[in-house]
Every structure is written in C-alpha cells, then in structure tokens.
Amino acid sequence: MIARTTLLALFALIFNTVCADEHEEAETESAEESSAIEEKACFLRRQVNSFDGLSDKHVYIKEGVNDYYLLTMRNRCTGLRDARGIGIKDTMNRICSNSFAEIIFNDMGRVQRCRIGTVERVQNKDEAIALVAERVDYEKRKKKDKD
C-alpha cells in the first residue's frame, strides 16, 4: 500500500512539473508574440520629410527628426529606384505593414502606384541599404537554385 501511495505521489509530482513547464513555455511564446506586436513599426504619413527609392521594391523614408523606415512593396515596381516624385496615398495618417497604403510616383509622365507590404524601423539609411542588398542577394541565390 505504501509503494502504491508513493508511486501516485511521484506521478503527481512529475505531472505537475510537466504542466508547469508547458505553462511556462506558453507564457514565453505569448510574451514573444506581445513583443512582436509592440515592435510593429508604423509611421505618420504627414510627418514624412523625405523619400528615397533604394530598389524597385524598397523605399527609405525619414519621418520627423530622427525616425527612419524601410518600406518594402508587395510587388516589384519598375521605375521606383529612380523615381523623384514619391509620395504616399492612404485614407489613414498612420501607416503600418499590410495596410492599404500605396507609394505613388511619377514614371516618365505616368503615375505609378505600388502597395506597401511591410514597414520596418531602421537606424539610418546605411542600415536600410544593407538590408536591401542582403535581400536582393538572397533573391538572386534563390532564383539561381531554382534554375
């Protein structure tokens, strides 16, 4: 009888330890998800001071005095890299990833529109350029591996 009670107590201890570990993992995952939500980069359209097309899929912007963002378009936008008259069109002032905001620009007399896919906060233009170069290289390698 004592062995049976000891065995049940040991089982209960193991079960509680496993449940506590799973609960702790769930809390960690929940905290990481909350952190990702808190880190969601958004900017105010009316506060943007400058635009710079870094590729046909990326635009670097400066908001206010020292807030910088890299915008990645959902699709490639021919002419964006060399565009000079870049603006943002949206009904909302606050622009975040996967909104319905669009980059608009003049491409040889035609107004082009490209939907913004992601908004990322960057430290400066050099970091934005490095991210774009890394992504372009990755796409080239991926395409080469397919062929």
Side-chain angles (χ1 to χ4, degrees):
M1 196 60 131
I2 294 175
R4 181 188 241 180
T5 306
T6 305
L7 188 59
L8 288 173
L10 182 59
F11 177 74
L13 178 65
I14 291 170
F15 180 77
N16 287 336
T17 303
V18 169
C19 289
D21 287 345
E22 287 176 1
H23 180 70
E24 186 177 307
E25 285 177 20
E27 284 181 347
T28 302
E29 287 174 8
S30 177
E32 287 172 358
E33 288 172 5
S34 297
S35 174
I37 291 170
E38 290 170 12
E39 292 175 11
K40 182 178 181 181
C42 299
F43 64 92
L44 299 176
R45 180 174 50 94
R46 294 185 186 119
Q47 298 291 323
V48 174
N49 297 326
S50 65
F51 296 87
D52 192 2
L54 300 180
S55 75
D56 283 346
K57 199 169 179 178
H58 301 91
V59 173
Y60 167 78
I61 65 168
K62 179 180 177 188
E63 176 203 30
V65 178
N66 39 334
D67 290 318
Y68 311 98
Y69 298 89
L70 176 63
L71 310 180
T72 303
M73 304 305 110
R74 287 186 163 267
N75 299 304
R76 189 170 174 262
C77 301
T78 303
L80 183 58
R81 176 193 319 248
D82 301 318
R84 294 291 167 244
I86 300 175
I88 297 176
K89 181 177 185 239
D90 195 48
T91 57
M92 307 297 288
N93 186 39
R94 186 168 187 234
I95 308 296
C96 304
S97 294
N98 296 318
S99 67
F100 291 101
E102 296 175 311
I103 289 290
I104 55 173
F105 62 97
N106 188 335
D107 181 31
M108 297 191 308
R110 292 185 355 234
V111 175
Q112 299 284 0
R113 299 170 186 268
C114 298
R115 189 160 168 210
I116 298 170
T118 59
V119 175
E120 299 171 84
R121 183 182 292 272
V122 293
Q123 295 298 316
N124 52 43
K125 189 173 182 177
D126 290 337
E127 180 183 0
I129 290 169
L131 284 170
V132 170
E134 181 180 303
R135 291 172 185 167
V136 168
D137 287 344
Y138 173 77
E139 290 298 320
K140 284 180 182 176
R141 284 192 311 270
K142 195 166 114 178
K143 185 177 179 181
K144 186 178 179 182
D145 289 345
K146 265 187 178 177
D147 296 336

